[in-house]
Amino acid sequence: VRPNLPGRTMSNALASGALLSLAPTSRRVVVPRRALAPRASAATAPPAMMKASDAAKLAPRVAVPSHPTYSIADAIKLALDEDIADVGDISSLSTIPADTVSRATLLAKADGVLAGQALANQILAAVDPDLEVSWSKFDGDTISNGELFCKMRGKAHSILRAERVVLNFMQRMSGIATLTKQMADQAAPAFMLETRKTVPGLRLPDKWAVLIGGGKKHRMGL
């Protein structure tokens, strides 16, 4: 999705078949005061925006597994470097002024278990600490088709720099967590254990997703 550029959309499948999408919401709509809905109460008010740098420091609901030779931060850096390649975001650089501020949302396109929310905060902070983010769902929560669960605000270039990496991780992790939850529920009271059968370079996020879906830790290496 390219905010402020009509006609361009993006969405990709989760491993389980669910979809997330990044949708631009930067358009300003002026509504007469008398037509506004009643102000939301504190109990129903949407979560407040917070800087990505602060969101990334919050303790995740499910602790990230550890590895002796690399970290989630290393996986994020590799993914961002891989995505930007040697030329940068040509579309953004050629069509969007550098000071453009925009908004984006994450939308579920199927029922499932959300995973990768805490990792997404770290990606956003790595790209631009001043990006703002608000989540209504967190790792391990169930999400429904059509449910909007995240809002972002900040420089359009930064949002677009982060969005593909955010979605790639969240789609894969949510797919793994969704399938793990289904199997763990059926196997109870037995435990579902994660294994070493992971994509090279993605062992930490893959195993993290299993834990988010209700699986149990086995071992990290040989």
Side-chain angles (χ1 to χ4, degrees):
V1 172
R2 295 294 190 249
N4 303 323
L5 296 179
R8 302 184 64 175
T9 60
M10 174 281 303
S11 63
N12 272 6
L14 288 168
S16 65
L19 292 171
L20 304 177
S21 67
L22 186 73
T25 58
S26 58
R27 196 172 180 180
R28 183 181 295 275
V29 178
V30 179
V31 181
R33 181 174 296 276
R34 62 180 177 276
L36 293 174
R39 184 172 298 176
S41 65
T44 60
M49 287 278 190
M50 65 187 309
K51 283 192 174 183
S53 56
D54 295 327
K57 296 175 184 176
L58 297 176
R61 179 179 287 182
V62 177
V64 59
S66 61
H67 192 281
T69 64
Y70 86 109
S71 66
I72 284 291
D74 294 327
I76 290 172
K77 182 179 186 304
L78 179 62
L80 288 171
D81 290 345
E82 177 184 66
D83 196 49
I84 204 67
D86 59 344
V87 293
D89 185 348
I90 297 176
S91 298
S92 295
L93 293 172
S94 61
T95 61
I96 303 176
D99 59 351
T100 299
V101 174
S102 190
R103 299 171 184 263
T105 61
L106 295 183
L107 179 74
K109 291 297 184 69
D111 300 340
V113 175
L114 185 67
Q117 169 264 329
L119 189 148
N121 284 336
Q122 296 184 45
I123 295 171
L124 296 174
V127 170
D128 185 347
D130 290 328
L131 282 174
E132 295 180 307
V133 63
S134 172
W135 298 90
S136 58
K137 293 284 186 173
F138 301 87
D139 285 334
D141 286 342
T142 57
I143 52 175
S144 301
N145 184 14
E147 186 172 9
L148 190 156
F149 57 88
C150 177
K151 296 181 180 180
M152 304 176 201
R153 180 173 61 207
K155 291 183 178 179
H157 280 213
S158 297
I159 292 176
L160 295 170
R161 173 75 175 87
E163 55 94 1
R164 174 42 51 199
V165 176
V166 165
L167 292 179
N168 283 350
F169 274 117
M170 292 196 73
Q171 286 160 358
R172 179 174 179 83
M173 291 180 68
S174 295
I176 293 172
T178 297
L179 292 176
T180 300
K181 178 71 164 65
Q182 293 172 359
M183 292 185 286
D185 288 348
Q186 294 177 19
F191 295 131
M192 297 298 299
L193 299 178
E194 36 90 326
T195 72
R196 291 166 35 242
K197 299 178 181 69
T198 54
V199 172
L202 294 180
R203 181 163 296 184
L204 280 181
D206 280 2
K207 285 179 172 284
W208 195 3
V210 171
L211 300 180
I212 291 170
K216 302 295 183 182
K217 183 176 179 181
H218 183 36
R219 68 180 189 269
M220 184 59 68
L222 292 172

PDB file of all heavy atoms in Angstrom, residues 11 58 69 135 172 182:
ATOM      1  N   SER A  11      -1.653  -6.997  -0.037  1.00  0.00           N
ATOM      2  CA  SER A  11      -1.952  -7.940   1.035  1.00  0.00           C
ATOM      3  C   SER A  11      -1.350  -9.275   0.683  1.00  0.00           C
ATOM      4  O   SER A  11      -1.286  -9.646  -0.476  1.00  0.00           O
ATOM      5  CB  SER A  11      -3.462  -8.081   1.244  1.00  0.00           C
ATOM      6  OG  SER A  11      -4.073  -8.602   0.099  1.00  0.00           O
ATOM      7  N   LEU A  58       8.573  -2.378  25.739  1.00  0.00           N
ATOM      8  CA  LEU A  58       7.605  -3.082  26.569  1.00  0.00           C
ATOM      9  C   LEU A  58       7.900  -4.575  26.575  1.00  0.00           C
ATOM     10  O   LEU A  58       8.281  -5.157  25.560  1.00  0.00           O
ATOM     11  CB  LEU A  58       6.188  -2.839  26.029  1.00  0.00           C
ATOM     12  CG  LEU A  58       5.691  -1.395  26.040  1.00  0.00           C
ATOM     13  CD1 LEU A  58       4.315  -1.315  25.378  1.00  0.00           C
ATOM     14  CD2 LEU A  58       5.631  -0.853  27.460  1.00  0.00           C
ATOM     15  N   THR A  69      23.979 -17.373  19.537  1.00  0.00           N
ATOM     16  CA  THR A  69      24.782 -16.731  18.495  1.00  0.00           C
ATOM     17  C   THR A  69      24.087 -15.589  17.771  1.00  0.00           C
ATOM     18  O   THR A  69      24.744 -14.835  17.050  1.00  0.00           O
ATOM     19  CB  THR A  69      25.231 -17.763  17.445  1.00  0.00           C
ATOM     20  OG1 THR A  69      24.074 -18.295  16.779  1.00  0.00           O
ATOM     21  CG2 THR A  69      26.009 -18.902  18.094  1.00  0.00           C
ATOM     22  N   TRP A 135      -1.968  -0.657  19.345  1.00  0.00           N
ATOM     23  CA  TRP A 135      -2.464  -2.016  19.140  1.00  0.00           C
ATOM     24  C   TRP A 135      -3.721  -2.247  19.968  1.00  0.00           C
ATOM     25  O   TRP A 135      -3.773  -1.889  21.136  1.00  0.00           O
ATOM     26  CB  TRP A 135      -1.421  -3.046  19.568  1.00  0.00           C
ATOM     27  CG  TRP A 135      -0.134  -2.995  18.811  1.00  0.00           C
ATOM     28  CD1 TRP A 135       0.972  -2.252  19.125  1.00  0.00           C
ATOM     29  CD2 TRP A 135       0.194  -3.718  17.621  1.00  0.00           C
ATOM     30  NE1 TRP A 135       1.962  -2.463  18.204  1.00  0.00           N
ATOM     31  CE2 TRP A 135       1.515  -3.359  17.275  1.00  0.00           C
ATOM     32  CE3 TRP A 135      -0.501  -4.632  16.832  1.00  0.00           C
ATOM     33  CZ2 TRP A 135       2.157  -3.887  16.157  1.00  0.00           C
ATOM     34  CZ3 TRP A 135       0.140  -5.161  15.725  1.00  0.00           C
ATOM     35  CH2 TRP A 135       1.454  -4.789  15.394  1.00  0.00           C
ATOM     36  N   ARG A 172       3.850 -14.870   8.708  1.00  0.00           N
ATOM     37  CA  ARG A 172       4.415 -16.191   8.979  1.00  0.00           C
ATOM     38  C   ARG A 172       4.169 -16.609  10.430  1.00  0.00           C
ATOM     39  O   ARG A 172       3.729 -17.734  10.701  1.00  0.00           O
ATOM     40  CB  ARG A 172       5.913 -16.178   8.678  1.00  0.00           C
ATOM     41  CG  ARG A 172       6.579 -17.514   8.951  1.00  0.00           C
ATOM     42  CD  ARG A 172       8.037 -17.532   8.519  1.00  0.00           C
ATOM     43  NE  ARG A 172       8.629 -18.827   8.827  1.00  0.00           N
ATOM     44  CZ  ARG A 172       8.512 -19.896   8.050  1.00  0.00           C
ATOM     45  NH1 ARG A 172       7.841 -19.827   6.921  1.00  0.00           N
ATOM     46  NH2 ARG A 172       9.080 -21.037   8.396  1.00  0.00           N
ATOM     47  N   GLN A 182      -4.391 -24.734  17.235  1.00  0.00           N
ATOM     48  CA  GLN A 182      -5.343 -25.776  16.850  1.00  0.00           C
ATOM     49  C   GLN A 182      -4.856 -27.149  17.297  1.00  0.00           C
ATOM     50  O   GLN A 182      -5.620 -27.941  17.865  1.00  0.00           O
ATOM     51  CB  GLN A 182      -5.555 -25.750  15.340  1.00  0.00           C
ATOM     52  CG  GLN A 182      -6.246 -24.503  14.822  1.00  0.00           C
ATOM     53  CD  GLN A 182      -6.249 -24.431  13.304  1.00  0.00           C
ATOM     54  OE1 GLN A 182      -5.722 -25.311  12.615  1.00  0.00           O
ATOM     55  NE2 GLN A 182      -6.848 -23.378  12.766  1.00  0.00           N
TER      56      GLN A 182
END
